[in-house]
């Protein structure tokens, strides 16, 4: 009996050792692949593209069924050291469960830019505020 118990304890000890893991320190951009769970918002995206000295900022927001209104505020941000102050902002309101807003900016100065999209997604008088940032582009 002691021999069987010893074998069981030894086997249990063999399988109880931890597994070695490590964290990768590379900077990986997953874009929209990982997203938090929202009550009213199905998807939000914020993109920026450039053509010469013209930037085109695009914000897309879609809500789940029953959404009555979406307000989008789109802020163009220019990198200043390690901060991203907003230099221009525009927006729209759509009485639908999907909203799409495109804003071009012509003749922008040299620098690194991104767009911040802030959306309020309404279901009746209740709403949630969601935010998305684009990748950055350099002019």
């Amino acid at each position: 009996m002691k021999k069987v118990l010893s074998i069981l304890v030894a086997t249990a000890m063999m399988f109880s050792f931890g597994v070695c893991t490590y964290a990768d320190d590379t900077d990986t951009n997953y874009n929209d692949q990982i997203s938090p769970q929202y009550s009213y918002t199905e998807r939000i995206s914020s993109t920026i593209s450039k053509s010469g000295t013209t930037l085109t900022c695009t914000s897309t927001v879609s809500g789940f069924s029953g959404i009555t209104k979406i307000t989008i505020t789109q802020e163009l941000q220019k990198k200043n050291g390690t901060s991203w102050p907003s230099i221009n902002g525009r927006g729209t309101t759509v009485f639908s469960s999907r909203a799409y807003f495109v804003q071009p900016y012509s003749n922008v100065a040299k620098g690194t830019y991104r767009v911040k999209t802030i959306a309020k997604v309404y279901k009746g008088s209740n709403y949630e505020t969601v935010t998305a940032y684009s990748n950055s582009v350099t002019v």
Side-chain angles (χ1 to χ4, degrees):
M1 181 68 178
K2 286 183 181 183
K3 189 175 184 180
V4 172
L5 186 57
S6 296
I7 292 172
L8 287 175
V9 169
T11 304
M13 287 176 56
M14 260 185 6
F15 289 108
S16 67
F17 290 110
V19 176
C20 295
T21 61
Y22 72 98
D24 187 4
D25 64 351
T26 59
D27 187 17
T28 304
N29 182 2
Y30 291 102
N31 293 331
D32 294 338
Q33 294 178 10
I34 301 171
S35 61
Q37 185 66 37
Y38 298 117
S39 298
Y40 305 140
T41 308
E42 182 176 14
R43 179 180 166 87
I44 180 171
S45 68
S46 188
T47 60
I48 189 169
S49 61
K50 72 171 183 169
S51 177
T53 59
T54 299
L55 300 176
T56 303
C57 303
T58 305
S59 301
T60 306
V61 182
S62 59
F64 293 114
S65 178
I67 296 307
T68 55
K69 177 172 81 168
I70 297 173
T71 63
I72 294 177
T73 302
Q74 190 183 78
E75 297 178 0
L76 180 64
Q77 298 180 322
K78 184 177 181 183
K79 189 172 186 178
N80 183 3
T82 58
S83 64
W84 290 89
S86 295
I87 59 170
N88 204 326
R90 307 249 169 93
T92 189
T93 299
V94 177
F95 293 92
S96 175
S97 63
R98 295 180 187 262
Y100 182 76
F101 184 66
V102 179
Q103 183 63 51
Y105 295 93
S106 300
N107 300 316
V108 296
K110 288 185 179 182
T112 302
Y113 296 87
R114 72 179 182 185
V115 63
K116 176 182 180 182
T117 300
I118 306 162
K120 288 186 179 179
V121 181
Y122 289 81
K123 187 171 186 178
S125 60
N126 298 319
Y127 69 91
E128 67 185 2
T129 304
V130 293
T131 303
Y133 295 89
S134 72
N135 58 316
S136 60
V137 296
T138 300
V139 177

